Amino acid sequence: MSHLLPRNKKLLSFVTRHYPILKTLIQNPSPTLLTSHHYATQSSKFPEYEMPTVTWGVIQGKKEKLVNRVKICDHLKTLGVITDELETIELPSTIEVISERLEFLQKLGLTIDDVNEYPLMLGCSVRKNLIPVLAYLEKIGISRSKLGEFVKNYPQVLHASVVVELAPVVKFLRGLDVEKQDLGYVLMKYPELLGFKLEGTMSTSVAYLVSIGVSPRDIGPMVTQYPYLLGMRVGTMIKPLVDYLISIGLPKKIVARMLEKRAYVIGYSLEETVKPNVECLISFGVRREMLPLVIAQYPQILGLPVKAKMSTQQYFFSLKLKVDPEGFARVVEKMPQVVSLKQNVIMKPVEFLLGRAFRVEDVARMVVRCPQILCSRVELMKNAYYFYKTEMGRPMKELVEYPEYFTYGLESRIKPRYQKLQGKGIRSSLNWFLNCSDQRFEERLEGNFIDADSEGPVFDMGGKLDMPGGGGGEVVSDEDDDDESDDDEVLYRRTLTL
């Protein structure tokens, strides 16, 4: 034991030399010496940010603490900071420390006005809060130049713990198949995600979407496109919208496929936007049984100012194209995107047809039968028309009866098929040799008969997708309803590819 005495004496000498207060305690262990005065005099040796903020109440006396708070608040007021909300939080003991925090925030790009929007950010330590949080945000993909904007949009993030709060949310997003390079984009778009609880709204919204048929592997792309869906309550927002779409005739699987491709539809207000728009379409003459096809082709129509757009376009079609309101309703049924087409775009193909000696009445018939010609490029229409007149030599009446001719590629379909017909010596309608697949066309060429023209697919509510005249009313899909290629899938492929 004797060999330990010199070492203990050296340790005691070192402690008492560097920490005088311990020497006093050793000499006089009376508890009355443990006053806040000793701590207050020694605290100036330690930077504020290196000490837990909860100890300041012990280190400083109440009177000294109150005086320092008044000084800090007066200093902040001279800089334009509104200090009313700071009364509820603990502030540092010196003006230098609060000035350091404010200067750090300003270097991020925040102004005094931004600080006044959320003054509680001044309660965050530079080294304990600001630097760790901002470093983590930069690590997950938010560029340094946008950190100020991020903090401005969601200043509460500065209070968060990286390990306990931020990292689990990021891990959850990665688990949903949100790509690593998209994390920054998603969080910049919806920074409040970092404040959500994993077991709350985020999990329930994802579970519900999967339950209605959304593919789990598509959740990630949906979140990337529209991250707000993770903050929407199932019972009050998502489910009522889905139930309504199903009630007007859209199959559940089609709704699921639609949401996969157009996730922002979930954000449309059911009572304020969706229902009024559906009723508006009906009031303009769109038939109820055609609503599912209209919505499946153009889901955005549920969120547009439909009444204003429909009124404007209906008047324009009547004035310029001589299409009556009933005809306009048929146009919307076949191509609902027409409500958003600019009028100068519409007039280009119309003026081309009028310039080729088509009568206004004939152009109106062509538009009602095939509104897709309004989206055709005039250059391609010119080439197709020139080939029709010079090579095919057919009357103009056939183009009026089958304006879909202008929607096919000249080099890819019209010319090669027409040349094969010529080689076989077959003369048929435009519809017969253009409105079919390559396989069906070859079968027709090899057959000893010419089957009837087909009007194209028609969606029958509650049934399969039938092809009238395309082989005796055969159905496109003869598989069982449980098969992936059932009528819902066929409808989806036909409509959303438009």
Side-chain angles (χ1 to χ4, degrees), residues 322-348:
K322 306 304 179 184
V323 174
D324 59 21
E326 183 179 353
F328 177 71
R330 303 293 83 78
V331 169
V332 173
E333 290 175 355
K334 295 175 181 178
M335 194 181 76
Q337 295 87 342
V338 74
V339 302
S340 299
L341 275 184
K342 294 183 179 180
Q343 295 177 358
N344 63 322
V345 174
I346 294 174
M347 286 306 298
K348 287 180 180 179

Side-chain angles (χ1 to χ4, degrees), residues 8 31 35 75 192 216 236 287 298 382 391 419 422 440:
N8 291 340
T35 62
H75 173 70
E192 289 83 358
T236 58
R287 293 167 292 182
Y298 193 46
K382 286 181 179 179
E391 299 294 330
Q419 290 173 348
Q422 291 294 92
R440 175 58 63 89

